[in-house]
């Protein structure tokens, strides 16, 4: 879910800021903020076509991680990603976007010592989690 504000400098160039809460994936919950630069390329078939690009920052809570048993690691981590995509707007109100999210952070989500008998108490396997690149289609209803 997204909620935010868009500001237009000209008819073709604007910025938007938003907050997000995402629990669509089965193993990660996200909360954060983002900002995109928007550029309207032109009119096409009664609507407006454009592109966007920006940065998203926040936190990710890894629900299904290796953080169990003999561990002292947190499942909560910093999340950062680049967002790029295209957009089509009809009647300045209905928008469809095709976006690509490219994450670039990794979070340590577990440390487990299952070989204590062979290697001693100081041997741990470290588990790291990272989001995968994702492609999304979303509908946005904009009100003025």
């Amino acid at each position: 879910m997204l909620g935010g504000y868009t500001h237009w400098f000209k008819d073709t160039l604007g910025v938007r800021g938003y907050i997000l809460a995402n629990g669509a994936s089965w193993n990660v919950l996200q909360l954060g903020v983002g900002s995109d630069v928007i550029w309207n390329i032109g009119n096409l078939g009664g609507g407006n076509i454009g592109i966007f690009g920006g940065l998203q920052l926040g936190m990710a809570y890894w629900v299904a991680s290796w953080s169990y048993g003999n561990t002292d690691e947190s499942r909560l981590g910093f999340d950062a990603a680049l967002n790029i995509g295209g957009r089509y707007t009809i009647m300045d109100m209905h928008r469809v976007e095709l976006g690509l999210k490219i994450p670039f952070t990794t979070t340590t989500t577990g440390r487990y010592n299952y070989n204590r008998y062979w290697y001693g108490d100081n041997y741990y396997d470290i588990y790291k989690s990272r989001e995968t690149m994702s492609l999304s289609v979303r509908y946005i209803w904009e009100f003025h």
Side-chain angles (χ1 to χ4, degrees):
M1 181 182 315
L2 295 173
Y5 179 76
T6 302
H7 176 76
W8 292 98
F9 299 109
K10 300 189 285 184
D11 288 341
T12 58
L13 183 64
V15 293
R16 68 178 171 193
Y18 54 90
I19 58 172
L20 65 101
N22 185 0
S25 175
W26 65 274
N27 67 339
V28 65
L29 301 172
Q30 298 171 312
L31 294 172
V33 295
S35 181
D36 295 329
V37 174
I38 306 166
W39 181 46
N40 284 336
I41 296 171
N43 296 327
L44 178 69
N48 188 295
I49 192 165
I51 58 175
F52 65 89
L55 186 64
Q56 175 184 316
L57 302 172
M59 53 117 329
Y61 179 75
W62 298 88
V63 178
S65 71
W66 289 98
S67 184
Y68 62 88
N70 187 13
T71 184
D72 61 357
E73 298 294 330
S74 172
R75 297 182 196 187
L76 184 64
F78 177 71
D79 187 32
L82 177 68
N83 294 316
I84 57 174
R87 54 197 298 274
Y88 185 71
T89 306
I90 302 170
M91 299 185 312
D92 287 334
M93 180 186 302
H94 305 283
R95 181 177 310 130
V96 177
E97 293 185 347
L98 178 65
L100 182 64
K101 179 179 177 181
I102 306 168
F104 47 85
T105 57
T106 302
T107 301
T108 300
T109 55
R111 188 172 81 156
Y112 188 68
N113 183 348
Y114 64 89
N115 282 321
R116 182 178 289 157
Y117 177 76
W118 295 103
Y119 299 110
D121 288 335
N122 293 326
Y123 178 80
Y124 289 94
D125 284 338
I126 305 293
Y127 297 97
K128 295 185 179 282
S129 298
R130 182 179 186 158
E131 274 189 277
T132 58
M133 190 173 0
S134 62
L135 182 66
S136 66
V137 177
R138 62 183 169 208
Y139 168 77
I140 297 171
W141 180 60
E142 186 172 304
F143 52 94
H144 304 276

